[in-house]
Amino acid sequence: MTLHTFLTTSALALSLASAAAAQQTLVYCSEGSPEGFDPALYTSGTTFDAAGQAVYARLVEFRTGTTEVIPGLAESYDISEDGKTYTFHLRPGTKFQTTDFFTPTRDLNADDVIFSFMRQLDPENPFHNASGGTFEYFNAMSMPELIENIEKVDDLTVAFHLTRPEAPFIANMAMDFASIMSKEYADQLLEAGRPDMLNQQPLGAGPFAFVAYQKDAVIRYRKHEGFYREGLPKLDNLIFAITPDASVRYQKLKAGECHVMPFPNPADIEEMKSEDGIVVEEQEGLNVGYMAYNTQQPPFDNPKVRKALNMAMDKQAIIDVVFQGAGEIAKNPIPPTMWSYNDAVEDDPYDPEAAKAMLEAEGVTDLSMKLWAMPVQRPYNPNARRMAEMMQADFEKVGVNAEIVSYEWGEYLDRSKEVDRDGAVLLGWTGDNGDPDNFLATLLSCDGVGGANRSQWCYEPFEALIQKAKTLPTQAERAKLYEEAQVIFKEQAPWATIAHSKVFMPMREEVKGYKVHPLGLHIFTEVSLDK
């Protein structure tokens, strides 16, 4: 990959004021580096912000700030009476980005759509194993079993033929894994013997064209002049200044070195709200923070052991210290703002004495375990290290020795998927499409084992409910099954459910049009700067 000349972090800061005056250049102080630039290979919001939302577009999209699905690269779609065929009518004249590394010779057509999905569906596709990744979302949502075939009706019409009705299908198609790529660009990379570059030099039909990336420092984008939404984006340039430390992000925001920052320290929020020139938007998060046991490894293959450890945790103390009160205790694997939430479920009580007795009754003494703590802040966990330290102290009280381990974010996500992983891993989830299936199937289905299902839990009574729920036509029918599934989840305890958090987005007052997104995405398509 050829890297362009980069501004250093300090030079970037010094040049921001003059650059913004000359053009609409927004600097976003992102919390971490993307794992790559192919959104189908990953599940991290950090990667989705940098690739899926900046560079790519999808057949349908979520209206910014909502979970409402609206037309995207497809101007309309039809659903057959039996619910098994979805026909998308593509928007004519849609342009892919022109960059230093590729100049398209044609508009987007059906071939691009088919390529974007067949590379995930077909193991023989030359891009299926490129970059050594796995298509976690695609597999966790049973897409290989769901999609019977994809038909090119004509250049601007694509039909997806499914093996069964699938209620969440349209919402799923608005997710980042369903981003549409240029087959023409992919063919060029294949001819050059570099299919891996699809994950390093992204090219799509989204609002911003990729310019360059300096690992762990900065990503640069410029406006896609041919974007299908007229008058957008409003920004000429978008810069991701990668700044892992929340305190440093805040200092940069105060100094005007960045315009928007995610994931503030909870302890800083009240000060931010009173700071001149800074606005703090907030919203109830569609999220859950959890600790996933590896249920395929003893003694965590025993649900009573998992329950005992859940009872050893003082979750209220975690809410008070880690979230500074800006969150609530989680008892279910979906947030209370989501339809089908089962409020009748009772949480595991905090009871160290009962926890210790339960462990002893199961023959578990002198247990040593790994406790994985994320290296980055996420909306569902603002300080995983501190959370892990509090859990470590709680576990010690019941005779369990927990060793805290961590890795660089990309490695953390990769290693935590391994079926033979030791111990329990702190992670969480922000909803992708507003459907319970996106939590319960993506994170806890048998298809997700070895991928997004970090608990490696495959439990048939639960699986039967969530798979049947996908096929039912009404929300009420589906909700009943999801409520039952939450009861089973609580009985079996593959996770310790920890918290649902509020989401806070500090930004400079000159930022206009930014909307806090319930799905945790950071989208700059409609944003401008008030000069």
Side-chain angles (χ1 to χ4, degrees):
M1 176 179 179
T2 302
L3 292 178
H4 297 245
T5 303
F6 291 93
L7 296 172
T8 64
T9 304
S10 57
L12 175 65
L14 292 171
S15 68
L16 174 58
S18 59
Q23 289 189 310
Q24 289 266 311
T25 299
L26 183 140
V27 178
Y28 169 62
C29 277
S30 66
E31 78 285 2
S33 298
E35 302 150 273
F37 288 92
D38 180 347
L41 295 178
Y42 307 107
T43 61
S44 160
T46 308
T47 299
F48 293 160
D49 291 339
Q53 296 303 313
V55 176
Y56 291 104
R58 288 143 292 279
L59 295 173
V60 291
E61 303 280 4
F62 295 112
R63 188 183 299 281
T64 306
T66 77
T67 57
E68 177 192 355
V69 177
I70 60 174
L73 300 178
E75 57 186 4
S76 65
Y77 62 87
D78 307 312
I79 308 174
S80 63
E81 286 189 13
D82 65 2
K84 293 167 64 176
T85 299
Y86 288 74
T87 304
F88 294 89
H89 304 281
L90 305 182
R91 196 178 296 274
T94 299
K95 309 296 181 186
F96 282 107
Q97 298 141 2
T98 297
T99 67
D100 292 347
F101 49 86
F102 180 72
T103 301
T105 66
R106 62 167 176 78
D107 295 342
L108 179 145
N109 66 29
D111 294 333
D112 303 303
V113 176
I114 292 171
F115 165 74
S116 300
F117 289 91
M118 288 307 296
R119 72 192 186 97
Q120 302 181 64
L121 182 63
D122 180 10
E124 300 303 316
N125 187 286
F127 283 89
H128 189 77
N129 295 311
S131 303
T134 58
F135 301 108
E136 283 189 52
Y137 269 116
F138 194 79
N139 293 325
M141 294 187 297
S142 307
M143 287 289 179
E145 294 77 41
L146 174 66
I147 298 175
E148 186 172 83
N149 65 74
I150 307 173
E151 176 191 2
K152 178 181 179 179
V153 179
D154 58 43
D155 276 354
L156 293 177
T157 311
V158 182
F160 285 74
H161 299 284
L162 309 183
T163 58
R164 62 174 186 266
E166 181 82 353
F169 186 73
I170 285 295
N172 290 344
M173 295 297 275
M175 291 167 54
D176 289 78
F177 84 93
S179 296
I180 303 303
M181 296 184 163
S182 165
K183 183 179 186 300
E184 186 184 18
Y185 174 51
D187 288 344
Q188 175 182 294
L189 293 177
L190 195 61
E191 187 176 346
R194 295 301 308 275
D196 58 298
M197 296 304 285
L198 202 65
N199 192 31
Q200 298 178 46
Q201 289 184 324
L203 184 134
F208 296 98
F210 174 84
V211 175
Y213 171 44
Q214 184 178 18
K215 185 172 172 56
D216 300 330
V218 63
I219 315 169
R220 295 174 59 116
Y221 309 89
R222 64 170 175 261
K223 178 179 183 176
H224 172 30
E225 297 289 352
F227 187 50
Y228 75 90
R229 294 177 64 186
E230 189 174 351
L232 297 176
K234 298 179 180 179
L235 299 170
D236 297 294
N237 302 288
L238 176 63
I239 297 172
F240 278 36
I242 297 165
T243 314
D245 189 290
S247 298
V248 176
R249 291 200 295 275
Y250 181 27
Q251 292 305 314
K252 287 184 175 183
L253 190 72
K254 286 198 291 187
E257 296 175 18
C258 63
H259 296 100
V260 182
M261 64 161 284
F263 316 130
N265 285 324
D268 293 336
I269 290 169
E270 288 307 311
E271 178 186 327
M272 288 178 170
K273 289 179 177 179
S274 62
E275 184 76 31
D276 287 343
I278 291 178
V279 175
V280 181
E281 301 284 351
E282 64 182 82
Q283 186 178 85
E284 292 290 335
L286 194 73
N287 61 44
V288 62
Y290 62 81
M291 184 182 74
Y293 302 102
N294 187 342
T295 62
Q296 294 196 22
Q297 300 294 321
F300 308 112
D301 56 345
N302 182 344
K304 292 183 179 180
V305 171
R306 303 193 295 261
K307 282 287 230 184
L309 292 175
N310 288 358
M311 292 166 61
M313 293 180 203
D314 187 347
K315 292 199 285 190
Q316 186 58 55
I318 289 172
I319 295 292
D320 294 341
V321 173
V322 176
F323 292 85
Q324 299 282 304
E328 61 180 296
I329 290 174
K331 64 181 181 180
N332 288 323
I334 65 173
T337 51
M338 177 167 278
W339 62 270
S340 82
Y341 180 83
N342 190 343
D343 199 33
V345 168
E346 292 190 12
D347 200 13
D348 300 311
Y350 171 53
D351 191 338
E353 291 301 318
K356 188 173 184 179
M358 189 180 294
L359 288 172
E360 290 173 353
E362 297 304 309
V364 176
T365 57
D366 300 320
L367 173 61
S368 293
M369 62 180 285
K370 295 277 200 320
L371 178 54
W372 294 46
M374 298 176 299
V376 297
Q377 292 172 292
R378 305 305 301 150
Y380 47 74
N381 192 333
N383 191 335
R385 183 79 193 189
R386 184 72 185 100
M387 183 183 291
E389 289 168 352
M390 296 181 72
M391 291 179 170
Q392 183 183 51
D394 286 341
F395 289 160
E396 188 176 3
K397 294 173 186 175
V398 298
V400 174
N401 177 46
E403 176 193 354
I404 299 172
V405 298
S406 191
Y407 303 91
E408 179 273 329
W409 185 220
E411 185 179 0
Y412 185 95
L413 291 170
D414 283 341
R415 284 176 173 250
S416 62
K417 290 184 284 190
E418 295 172 357
V419 176
D420 60 354
R421 182 203 77 233
D422 184 22
V425 58
L426 288 176
L427 258 179
W429 194 255
T430 298
D432 295 294
N433 61 17
D435 195 292
D437 176 77
N438 179 242
F439 283 77
L440 301 178
T442 303
L443 302 179
L444 292 159
S445 71
C446 296
D447 286 329
V449 170
N453 184 345
R454 295 317 203 277
S455 60
Q456 318 302 343
W457 185 61
C458 178
Y459 188 63
E460 185 52 40
F462 179 89
E463 182 78 6
L465 289 171
I466 63 170
Q467 295 302 336
K468 183 178 179 182
K470 292 185 184 189
T471 68
L472 299 179
T474 70
Q475 191 175 102
E477 290 173 290
R478 297 179 67 207
K480 182 179 179 183
L481 297 189
Y482 289 138
E483 289 168 9
E484 292 178 32
Q486 289 166 71
V487 173
I488 293 173
F489 167 89
K490 205 64 188 180
E491 291 171 351
Q492 293 296 310
W495 297 350
T497 50
I498 300 166
H500 308 292
S501 74
K502 278 189 176 180
V503 175
F504 297 90
M505 278 299 298
M507 63 196 75
R508 296 200 59 80
E509 62 183 0
E510 59 265 31
V511 175
K512 304 300 178 185
Y514 185 91
K515 296 176 182 176
V516 179
H517 203 292
L519 304 179
L521 302 170
H522 300 97
I523 302 173
F524 299 98
T525 310
E526 301 167 35
V527 175
S528 62
L529 296 173
D530 186 348
K531 296 180 181 179

